Amino acid sequence: MKNIEDINKAAIQKITANKKITDFSPGDTIKVGVKIVEGKRERIQYFEGVCIAKKNRDLNSSFTVRKISFGEGVERTFALYSPNVDTIKVIRSGKVRRAKLYYLRDRKGKSARIAEKIKKKIGVDVSVKPEETKKIVEPIKVKASTDNEKKEALSEEVKVEKSTNEKK
């Protein structure tokens, strides 16, 4: 007999096989695409704001997004694995030291801003593999012709082939 945890993990694997869920954390400005059904038509409406809370509870995971709309604060809570959530796109990463940013509810204007997390770039990108060059040596027949005599000479020429990086 399966535990509830096993059933939840199987459901999460089934959902994540169909769509990719991006990693984000509280403080990030995210753009959530929500499926909205109007009669027979279905469309995607985007809700862009700051993620102020994230709750990781297996299948019951959720996150709260807050935005200011016409001077009024609007918060919306989404289920992470809901079929109504189409896409989640991280627009900018925020530098915060808390897991829940409920203090932003009381703030207005400049005091409600969150500093951007700057990712340090090193000279070498770890995710990209360096290109390897291959040397191929092939004998090539070269016909040298002059007015007086014709000679056949064999010479070796080294060709350097550029490696092909396959983009995934």
Side-chain angles (χ1 to χ4, degrees), residues 2-168:
K2 289 187 176 181
N3 292 341
I4 295 174
E5 295 171 1
D6 295 337
I7 296 169
N8 286 344
K9 286 180 183 177
I12 289 172
Q13 287 178 354
K14 183 178 177 184
I15 292 168
T16 54
N18 296 338
K19 65 178 181 177
K20 185 179 179 239
I21 297 172
T22 57
D23 275 343
F24 63 95
S25 58
D28 293 353
T29 302
I30 58 177
K31 191 174 190 177
V32 183
V34 184
K35 292 180 185 174
I36 293 181
V37 178
E38 295 172 335
K40 295 178 183 177
R41 292 177 31 178
E42 186 175 289
R43 66 183 177 91
I44 296 174
Q45 182 177 5
Y46 291 98
F47 189 87
E48 183 176 344
V50 178
C51 176
I52 62 169
K54 190 173 179 184
K55 183 176 84 169
N56 294 315
R57 304 278 189 276
D58 286 336
L59 194 61
N60 300 323
S61 298
S62 65
F63 59 98
T64 304
V65 180
R66 178 179 175 83
K67 76 173 183 175
I68 306 296
S69 179
F70 298 103
E72 196 70 29
V74 179
E75 287 184 9
R76 194 161 173 193
T77 304
F78 300 99
L80 188 61
Y81 299 109
S82 171
N84 291 335
V85 174
D86 186 48
T87 57
I88 301 171
K89 185 177 179 184
V90 178
I91 294 182
R92 64 189 290 251
S93 297
K95 184 178 180 183
V96 294
R97 297 171 70 180
R98 295 174 183 237
K100 307 286 190 254
L101 306 177
Y102 297 135
Y103 67 89
L104 291 177
R105 293 173 177 165
D106 301 329
R107 305 262 178 110
K108 293 179 185 177
K110 287 188 176 181
S111 65
R113 290 185 302 176
I114 295 175
E116 187 170 2
K117 186 189 300 180
I118 299 171
K119 296 178 183 175
K120 293 183 180 178
K121 292 184 180 178
I122 317 172
V124 179
D125 190 9
V126 180
S127 63
V128 178
K129 294 181 182 177
E131 292 185 10
E132 297 178 10
T133 57
K134 296 179 181 178
K135 292 184 179 180
I136 300 173
V137 179
E138 295 178 357
I140 298 175
K141 289 185 178 181
V142 177
K143 293 184 179 180
S145 62
T146 57
D147 293 334
N148 296 337
E149 56 189 42
K150 294 182 179 180
K151 294 181 181 178
E152 284 190 26
L154 289 175
S155 65
E156 289 186 342
E157 190 174 310
V158 177
K159 289 187 177 181
V160 178
E161 182 180 334
K162 294 181 181 176
S163 65
T164 56
N165 273 345
E166 296 178 3
K167 296 182 180 178
K168 295 181 180 178

